[in-house]
């Protein structure tokens, strides 16, 4: 049996956190203690097993989410490593889509950082139950309780510490378990010999108080504990653990643990908590989808005897086996050698081999049942987010939504040979990463790549050079502006050529109106009485859609617009799809011109942390970048600045920040929303576009 645990003994979890909080180190320790790796790799010396890609090793960041299987206390844990950097949101989104529970790792010195905030909100959206691990308790400035308070303030979470630290900073010496009321001390060279000890006398009172708080915290969200508490009953270990599990599964509370992954302290207790408090596939609601035949709702339970329903959540091109698709099975059994239906594409696909991935080895398996995660070789047409199901019981599961790229860079291959290799390389990378797009601009003879931020594209260019051996000149990063309209308008689009022979005839009347931000494009057919015959309506829609790719202000794509086809006329002989398509394009451009078109630019949410003495310089610099300060906070001697800054003004920010703070500040940045470009700047952009 590949999925060598009963369903209730499976945990599909992700380690999620801000960059540098220690996810990779924590994951490494997990694999060590669960016996899958025998050597502890030091992340930044490049030995870490999870970070297998070359740049990940060099940069010390985890870019690709890898699914890894390990065992703990007779439970199978499928560990999905997620990247911390916001430029890789797609990785986080897709992981959250298939996780059942999360371990959120915080740095005890930095507390709650912006990416933890973003991921926390994403996890809320997907209803993922969480436990928190306050890592780096050994660092100078580590503060367990401050991190717990920040979880309340910044995340609106309900953190309930189930441990308290013994000592802090260099004196950090294990954790007090508030449920069993004992001290866990981590002996052995690798912390692999935990020892259960009496709580030290000087911490007895603090532990009693913290246990009281824990019971109160759980009592606030759990009636059984509330009643036992009010009636003054002694609450037993089992009773308390079950109540914590209930509260965690319903996302009413988040158990908080502490430790130091680097110093090998606390990780085993965190694994215990994964088993004790995070959901099995049976604890999450049955998955829902639609029947592609009639659009009706279909529900699938996590059981092997239900029809197959699975989702492909990651495609990678693997150096050994080629195209590899990571798959989460929700119901039924996925079998090697069988044909399944890709219901998203309406294509049948044959599963070649199935693999279970461990950090440093892969195991060939014959099948994977409900609740499991594995990788399949041989799928040709399946992409991220596609549903795979039984051909006779089709279902389409909700796909994974990815944001549109906001930044782009032009590439010019150095030689003819590079030119040929470039397209192959970029196609491969775009297949793996849904937030990375590329196009070839015929007019300029340039290849344009676009993505979610400067770092995102830097990594792509790096991979292009190293993995695919393509040499290219890289242009300066450019903002992907958008266009939108500000008021409704109406216009006619005529495409009429009738001078001898068979002519062209298509006339449409279109109404446009602005939609709320994020709504994209909506087309409505309001023709009554056949002013435009039915068979030409898809052509009109197509013409409109193509025209929206290049707006009237400066040629950028038009967003958030509703276009209604309200009237028109046709000719019995001269009308054609081509004529109506052209009429649609002309009509929508005319309407947009009258609808107060504007240019929009991406605005980034920025958080900077710096020592007090640099606060003025940091704020001044943000102001000079058309930034808006949203607020500031202090945390000890560190100042935290929250701001919104247009993407166009953020290029090269890391270098500038380093120079004004002598390298003592850190920042994070992510796309937040689009806003109108100020008139004077828009005028320059328009001039550039025209000229
Ligand atoms: N002092 C201390 N340092 C730690 C601890 N855990 C991790 N680190 C260090 O923190 C740095 C970041 O750790 P990683 O494990 O790479 O963090 P990450 O969150 O995976 O980072 P990304 O992959 O870049 O998102 C490394 O230098 C680690 O050695 C800890 O418990 N204590």
């Amino acid at each position: 049996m590949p999925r060598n645990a009963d369903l209730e003994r499976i945990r599909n979890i992700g380690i999620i956190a801000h960059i540098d909080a220690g996810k990779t180190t924590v994951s490494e320790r997990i694999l060590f203690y669960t016996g899958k790796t025998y050597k502890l790799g030091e992340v930044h010396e490049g030995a870490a097993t999870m970070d297998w890609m070359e740049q990940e090793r060099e940069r010390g960041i985890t870019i690709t989410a890898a699914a890894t299987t390990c065992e703990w206390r007779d439970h199978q844990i499928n560990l999905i490593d997620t990247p911390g950097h916001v430029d890789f949101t797609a990785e986080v989104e897709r992981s959250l889509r298939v996780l059942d529970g999360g371990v959120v790792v915080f740095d005890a010195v930095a507390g709650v950082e912006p990416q933890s905030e973003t991921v926390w909100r994403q996890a809320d959206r997907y209803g993922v139950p969480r436990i928190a691990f306050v890592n780096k308790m050994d660092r100078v400035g580590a503060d367990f309780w401050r991190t717990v308070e920040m979880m309340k303030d910044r995340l609106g979470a309900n953190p309930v510490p189930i441990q308290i630290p013994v000592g802090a900073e260099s004196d950090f010496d294990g954790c007090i378990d508030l449920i069993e009321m004992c001290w866990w001390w981590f002996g052995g060279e690798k912390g692999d010999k935990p020892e259960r000890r009496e709580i030290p006398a000087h911490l007895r009172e603090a532990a009693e108080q913290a246990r009281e708080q824990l019971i109160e915290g759980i009592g606030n969200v759990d009636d059984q504990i509330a009643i036992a508490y009010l009636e003054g009953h002694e609450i037993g270990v089992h009773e308390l653990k079950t109540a914590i599990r209930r509260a965690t599964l319903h996302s009413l509370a988040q158990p908080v643990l502490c430790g130091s992954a680097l110093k090998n302290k606390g990780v085993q207790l965190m694994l215990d908590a994964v088993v004790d408090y995070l959901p099995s596939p049976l604890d999450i609601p049955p998955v829902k989808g639609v029947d592609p035949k009639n659009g009706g709702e279909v529900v699938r339970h996590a059981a092997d005897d239900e029809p197959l329903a699975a989702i492909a959540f990651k495609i990678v091109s693997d150096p050994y086996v080629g195209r590899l698709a990571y798959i989460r099975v929700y119901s039924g059994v996925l079998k090697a050698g069988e044909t399944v239906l890709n219901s998203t594409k309406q294509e049948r696909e044959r599963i070649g081999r199935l693999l279970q991935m461990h950090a440093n080895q892969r195991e060939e398996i014959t099948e994977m049942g409900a609740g499991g995660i594995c990788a399949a070789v041989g799928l040709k047409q399946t992409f991220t987010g596609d549903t795979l199901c039984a051909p006779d019981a089709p279902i389409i599961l909700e796909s994974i939504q990815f944001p549109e790229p906001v930044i782009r860079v032009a590439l010019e291959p150095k030689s003819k040979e590079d030119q040929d290799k470039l397209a192959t390389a970029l196609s491969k990378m775009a297949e793996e990463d849904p937030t990375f797009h590329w196009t070839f601009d015929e007019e300029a003879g340039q290849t344009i790549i676009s993505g979610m931020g400067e770092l995102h594209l830097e990594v792509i260019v790096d991979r292009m050079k190293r993995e695919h051996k393509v040499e290219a000149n890289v242009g300066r990063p450019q903002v992907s502006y958008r266009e939108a309209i500000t008021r409704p308008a109406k216009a006619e689009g005529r495409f009429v050529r009738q001078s001898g022979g068979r002519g062209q005839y298509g006339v449409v009347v279109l109404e446009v109106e602005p939609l709320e931000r994020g709504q994209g494009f909506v087309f409505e057919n309001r023709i009554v009485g056949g002013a435009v015959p039915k068979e030409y309506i898809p052509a009109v829609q197509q013409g409109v859609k193509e025209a929206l790719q290049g707006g009237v202000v400066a040629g950028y794509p038009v967003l958030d617009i509703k276009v209604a086809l309200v009237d028109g006329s046709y000719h019995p002989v001269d009308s054609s799809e081509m004529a109506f398509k052209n009429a649609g394009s002309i009509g929508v451009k005319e309407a947009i011109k009258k609808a107060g078109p504007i240019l929009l630019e991406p605005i980034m949410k920025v958080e900077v942390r710096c020592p007090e003495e640099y606060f003025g310089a940091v704020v001044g610099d943000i102001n000079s970048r058309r930034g808006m300060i949203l607020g500031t906070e202090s945390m000890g001697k560190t100042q935290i600045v929250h701001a919104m800054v247009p993407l166009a003004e953020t290029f090269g920010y890391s270098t500038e920040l380093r120079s004004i703070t002598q390298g003592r500040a850190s920042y994070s940045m992510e796309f937040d929303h689009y806003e109108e470009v100020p008139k004077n700047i828009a005028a320059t952009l328009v001039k550039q576009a025209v000229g």
Side-chain angles (χ1 to χ4, degrees), residues 153-172:
D153 294 346
R154 279 197 157 198
L155 308 174
N158 184 21
V160 281
I162 59 169
Q163 296 178 345
I164 55 169
V166 176
E169 304 184 347
S170 58
D171 293 329
F172 175 62

Side-chain angles (χ1 to χ4, degrees), residues 215-216 219-220 222-233 235:
I215 292 173
E216 263 180 56
N220 285 338
D222 188 274
D223 287 349
Q224 285 183 33
I225 292 293
I227 293 167
Y229 179 67
L230 290 175
E231 291 179 352
H233 291 180
I235 297 169

Side-chain angles (χ1 to χ4, degrees), residues 18-26 42-44 51 60-62 83-85 135-139 259-263:
H18 188 86
I19 186 165
D20 271 358
K23 280 182 317 292
T24 308
T25 313
V26 169
E42 179 35 51
V43 175
H44 295 283
D51 281 5
I61 52 175
T62 313
H85 198 281
N135 188 35
K136 304 201 183 182
M137 283 302 302
D138 61 299
R139 275 186 65 195
S260 161
L262 189 68
K263 297 284 154 66

